[in-house]
Amino acid sequence: MPRSSLSLRRSAPRVRVFGVNPTATRTERIVTVARGRAESAHGDPERWREMIANRPFGRLSEPEEVARIVAMLASPAAAYLSGTVVDLDGGMRHRG
């Protein structure tokens, strides 16, 4: 069932439904890929940060940033929010 349908079901009046859409997040896998690209492009895997310099704010998102948003959505602070997707992309989708 689509997220928006779940959020409107009358049979579950206190169930809130969210989608969380994070961008590339600094994980071991993502850093390994960036290091491989840096090795191919520059001959130096230590230059991996250059491979992500075009990201919003010049960096990857941090796992803790994603976790904080999920915790906030599950908290009373977002008690009246449901049926939405939170894009954690640093504004990348709005770049021209």
Side-chain angles (χ1 to χ4, degrees):
M1 180 175 292
R3 168 195 40 79
S4 58
S5 297
L6 281 171
S7 67
L8 296 174
R9 290 191 64 177
R10 294 181 193 273
S11 62
R14 293 190 187 125
V15 173
R16 296 179 299 128
V17 179
F18 302 101
V20 178
N21 184 27
T23 187
T25 302
R26 189 186 52 81
T27 62
E28 186 176 322
R29 184 182 71 84
I30 295 294
V31 171
T32 298
V33 168
R35 288 175 63 84
R37 289 181 180 164
E39 176 72 38
S40 295
H42 306 296
D44 182 2
E46 296 306 312
R47 293 178 63 183
W48 69 269
R49 287 176 183 80
E50 293 175 37
M51 307 313 296
I52 54 100
N54 67 331
R55 307 291 308 171
F57 307 108
R59 64 179 182 84
L60 299 168
S61 67
E62 295 293 328
E64 295 79 11
E65 292 172 312
V66 177
R68 283 193 299 268
I69 292 295
V70 171
M72 187 276 301
L73 291 171
S75 78
Y80 200 66
L81 189 62
S82 187
T84 190
V85 174
V86 178
D87 288 313
L88 300 174
D89 66 0
M92 189 138 180
R93 68 183 281 227
H94 298 289
R95 284 184 166 183

